[in-house]
Amino acid sequence: MTDKQKEQIANLRHAGYSYSVIADKLGLSVNTIKTHCKRHGLSSKEIDKSKLVVRAANLHYCQECGEVVIQPPKRKFKKFCSDKCRMKWWNTHQYLIKKEANYNIVCRNCGKQFVSYGNKERKYCCHACYIQDRFEK
């Protein structure tokens, strides 16, 4: 990498360009750009993320917070910017989960019918019935 390219990388990072855009402009590998930026204090931690310019084709927004989510090439589509946002969104949208693994089972102890989600081998409706049937005979 030449000194001119190093200077261009620094200028483009301060202008808010992402690693991939800089790599495309300079014809270098994205990993080369990342390594150079991290070694010289030009990583995204030091530069305001709100200024980063991304390719229009990869511009998607987090379903929870609305932040820009950069889609990695040849990988599964990302809907959320982080695990925190993903968990928060699913916890507030429980009604969208399709719970299809419901099993109607009769309790061995009390004979009451109950619904078990995800476990068709369950034998007791509650812990108290389990204790009573196993240990209080």
Side-chain angles (χ1 to χ4, degrees):
M1 183 182 325
T2 65
D3 290 335
K4 184 179 178 184
Q5 286 176 324
K6 291 177 185 179
E7 192 175 312
Q8 287 175 324
I9 292 170
N11 290 337
L12 291 170
R13 276 306 278 174
H14 286 296
Y17 287 91
S18 67
Y19 298 133
S20 56
V21 173
I22 295 171
D24 289 345
K25 285 184 181 245
L26 300 179
L28 297 171
S29 164
V30 175
N31 288 330
T32 304
I33 302 298
K34 283 182 189 177
T35 303
H36 175 76
C37 290
K38 288 181 181 177
R39 285 181 182 165
H40 294 89
L42 300 170
S43 65
S44 57
K45 291 178 184 174
E46 286 85 15
I47 295 179
D48 187 11
K49 287 184 181 181
S50 64
K51 291 182 180 178
L52 290 180
V53 178
V54 294
R55 290 186 221 157
N58 289 340
L59 195 59
H60 299 281
Y61 299 97
C62 177
Q63 289 185 2
E64 178 61 28
C65 67
E67 288 283 322
V68 174
V69 178
I70 299 173
Q71 300 297 327
K74 299 179 183 177
R75 301 225 18 224
K76 186 179 174 184
F77 179 78
K78 291 173 70 176
K79 296 179 183 179
F80 305 98
C81 63
S82 65
D83 284 340
K84 182 180 174 184
C85 281
R86 179 178 55 81
M87 300 281 251
K88 186 175 178 183
W89 191 88
W90 277 111
N91 285 335
T92 57
H93 294 83
Q94 288 284 324
Y95 60 90
L96 295 175
I97 298 172
K98 295 177 183 167
K99 296 183 178 181
E100 297 174 355
N102 291 322
Y103 302 100
N104 291 321
I105 301 172
V106 177
C107 179
R108 280 190 178 178
N109 185 48
C110 65
K112 183 175 86 173
Q113 188 172 6
F114 65 97
V115 177
S116 173
Y117 175 69
N119 184 0
K120 62 183 174 184
E121 304 298 321
R122 196 167 153 188
K123 298 171 184 152
Y124 304 100
C125 63
C126 63
H127 185 71
C129 281
Y130 165 74
I131 296 296
Q132 187 178 13
D133 189 50
R134 290 287 307 264
F135 303 108
E136 296 178 9
K137 289 186 177 184

